[in-house]
Amino acid sequence: MNVLFVNLAGVALIAFIIWWFWLSRPKAQRVRKNVVDIVVEAGTYTPPRIEVEAGKEVTLRFLRKDASPCAEKVIFESLGINADLPLNTPTDIVVTPVEAGEIPFTCQMQMYRGSLVATNESPPE
Amino acid sequence: MNTIRLSLSGMSCAGCVSRVETALNDVAGVISASVNFAEHTATIQGDVPVARLIDAVGNTGYGAAELKGVEDEGEKEAAEMAHYRKLLQKAAVAAAIGVPLFVLGMGGLLPSLDTDGGRLFWFIVGGLTLGVLVYSGGHFFTGAWKSARHHNANMDTLIALGTGTAWIFSMVIIAWPDWVPLSAQHAYFEAAAIIIALINFGSALEMRARGKTSEAIKRLIGLQPKTARVIRTGVEMDVAIDEVRLDETLRVRPGERIAVDGDIIEGHSSVDESMLTGEPVPVQKQQGDPVVAGTINKLGTFLFRARRIGKDTALAQIIEMVRAAQSSKPAIGRLADKVSSIFVPTVLIIAVLTFLAWSNFGPSGQASTLAVVTTMTVLIIACPCALGLATPISIMVGVGKAAEFGTLIRNGDALQQAGRLDTIVLDKTGTVTEGRPSVTRLVSTGDWKQDELLRWAASIEQGSEHPLAEAILDAANDRQLTLLDAEGFTAIAGRGVVASVQGRRVLLGNRQLMRENDVETAVVEEVAAALTQKAQTPVFVAVAGDMAGVIGIADAIKGDSHAAIRRLQGLGLKVVLLTGDNKATADAVAQQVGIDQVFADVLPQDKAAKVASLQQQGERVGMVGDGINDAPALARADVGFAIGTGTDVAIESADITLMRGSLHGVPDAINISRQTVRNIKQNLFGAFVYNTLGIPVAAGVLFPFVGILLNPMIAGGAMAMSSLTVVSNANRLRFYKPGAES
């Protein structure tokens, strides 16, 4: 009975891991501003998903609070952008998503992950 | 007066703008302050500490931080050092609890759980270990939690789950010892503490080692002076580098570093450009010559006009290019990237499967303990960092090292491709040769001395604009010869020039000019023939109807071209010469530098097609040219090398830019590329093997066969060492020396 319970719990846990980390995505934060603050802290970009309007220029202002060297760079591979993030100093990265779609950004080792979601609809006020 | 930029946060409406502006303008020392609502920034002019401005904004209920344009490496290093010390401190605290527990446990000196006193002891130890987890390992837990909330998992997740599981399992055993058989009653507090100590210690060492990987870029940034001496309304003053304006006049004194790019308008000196080009010999500079930021003026003093400032200077562009290249990844690293991105959730699933396997099939009485221990070990040993670091850290060191000797590599793909080339196509003019005619030989006849021959030749060439005349005048100038007055200068098209010097008629030109004026050339014919054979142009000089000598003029082969080509051949590359010159000239040059295959009479627009034809034969072709005329061929090649003298070379135009102007940059780039790619392969191999062997062993696959289980503390040590090993291996590339063939 115990082993059966453990096995069922284990299978449920595996299903949860697959769903949480691979199948579901964090809710995108829709922004209308042309400047978005992104905090780099404790292994994360906050907010991790930012929804913007395609074709419009947006300034992503990264503020790195994480002293770990893992956080020292942010890379938008699909846009060819590599930027250093000095500690406690805001760093602006200006991007213009040309068309609708997702633009991931990561640290050098792909452990810190975030994405810019460009949509064709204008986000609400 | 300084300009300070702040980034502002918390502003929601345009009404906030005036509040912030008023607050900033009220700060003593502020001359003007303006807020840009769209950008959420404030620009302040005045002499005032930044902290006071940030406080003023803070008092209005908004947030502010300084936006910096110029990087302050000192500040960065101080922050890194503080983090390094903090990591060591955390490691020491964790070790102070974990090591005594481990040593006493090994000696069997710790109380057992079957007495009340023993349980109390273990509760106290549990409390102390919790303190360690909070103080020394708290950042792993917050990182893990925040990542999980963002549907992300990273190394923190694995460490937090591993050590957290050890602590909870141990507390359960202490609280309810009857749940597990006596033989399995073992608390893992020492494991949790030692793992935290080892990982913090490993991170500190890794941070130190990583600091060394960015030495090259730090060195380049360090070349930028902080101040410049400008002349404004006739007054000389030192200003911050950001305040230098275009077209402003700057003074450079002996030993000073040049602040911005510009052209000398007064004075002369020699300038050490080695830090940018790798060229050790200082370059002579005089009025009209360009100077670039970051280079060092030697003994003279000069004034120059600022032509490029700020991010437009050659130095700023080089820094930008090196930095971008250091962050780019070649194709070889993409698999590791894909694996890294799914690594942690995969390990979590393996950990759950391990737990289930041991729970179902573990030895009776010990199954639950072994299930927990192996799960913990799997979580701890898995190291996504080694995998993720393997490629970027080597690229960082390799690209930086290349920049140190004047070779700029555009990106990771160019770096990887350069090492795989099997054919190098060299443009002739300006690449193998100097790219301008110069006097290569002086042969005088009769009583004429070489210097006198050159003085007379240069004297009548003063009025000529022919490229050959320029070569003769340059040679006379190099020998510091004083020229004589020439009269009655006449240029005869296709023949040469005629003029009178000191009342004597001087002829300078080709054989035809001599024959038409009945000058006997037999005495120099042998020399002239030898010159022609070497693709050099013989220029005859006759004075008062008699032959005075012959001057050999050619686009001279660079002194080190032959040696560099030999190095390329030594690296197993086929070397081809490509030129628009006629076959005889091309063959003569090819023979002198040891090249067998020649493409001559190739029009500039056909050079790319020649490269393409070699590629169609299955060859991976590197093209070396001047970056401007050869741009299409450079773009067509698998790797385009732009070669230039000094910092004038167009660094935007090629995959690899050789600022030294020497062909040695090509074998150097190929060498460093091969070594870097080898280094990446070693790192990737190590990281993959480490994880693919380490995880199954941690899960206990060896147990059924040889009865071995991995101690979770050893797993912690291995994990801490794995990424340190990758960084240290990459650091070996720092010791590469140009010219050292692999």
Side-chain angles (χ1 to χ4, degrees), chain B residues 696-731:
Chain B
V697 170
V701 292
L702 294 180
F703 188 78
F705 310 106
V706 287
I708 291 177
L709 274 183
L710 199 62
N711 184 313
M713 284 181 286
I714 293 176
M719 195 272 207
M721 288 308 293
S722 63
S723 43
L724 183 62
T725 310
V726 164
V727 178
S728 306
N729 188 43
N731 262 331

Side-chain angles (χ1 to χ4, degrees), chain A residues 7 20 24 34-35 61 108, chain B residues 38-39 148 151 323 329 360:
Chain A
N7 287 344
W20 186 256
S24 80
N34 49 7
V35 180
R61 181 164 295 156
Q108 267 188 311
Chain B
E39 288 186 351
H151 298 245
R323 177 173 283 151
K329 280 184 194 161
N360 284 282

Side-chain angles (χ1 to χ4, degrees), chain A residues 3 6-7 10-11 13-14 17-18 20-22 24-26 33-35 37 41-46 48 61 67-70 72-73 75 77 82 84 87-92 108-113, chain B residues 7-8 38-41 65-68 79-80 83 143 146-154 207 210 323-324 327 329 334 337 340-342 345-346 348-349 352-353 355-356 359-360 384-385 388-389 392:
Chain A
V3 172
V6 167
N7 287 344
V11 171
L13 189 55
I14 290 173
I17 291 169
I18 292 172
W20 186 256
F21 292 112
W22 287 331
S24 80
R25 297 272 175 84
K33 292 182 294 184
N34 49 7
V35 180
D37 292 306
E41 194 175 21
T44 58
Y45 297 116
T46 306
R61 181 164 295 156
S68 158
C70 301
E72 71 187 9
K73 280 183 189 297
I75 297 172
E77 193 160 356
N82 309 275
D84 280 349
L87 197 59
N88 297 322
T89 307
T91 306
D92 285 356
Q108 267 188 311
M109 301 191 298
Q110 312 262 328
M111 290 290 120
Y112 292 58
R113 306 176 73 81
Chain B
S7 85
L8 304 170
E39 288 186 351
H40 284 206
T41 55
E66 190 179 7
L67 265 178
K68 287 180 185 168
E80 280 177 359
H83 186 58
K146 286 197 170 185
S147 295
R149 278 179 55 206
H150 290 168
H151 298 245
N152 196 11
N154 55 28
M207 198 170 163
R210 281 176 81 159
R323 177 173 283 151
S327 303
K329 280 184 194 161
R334 307 238 160 92
D337 272 1
S340 301
S341 62
I342 57 162
T346 307
L348 295 180
I349 291 170
V352 176
L353 289 174
F355 186 88
L356 294 182
S359 300
N360 284 282
C385 290
L389 270 177

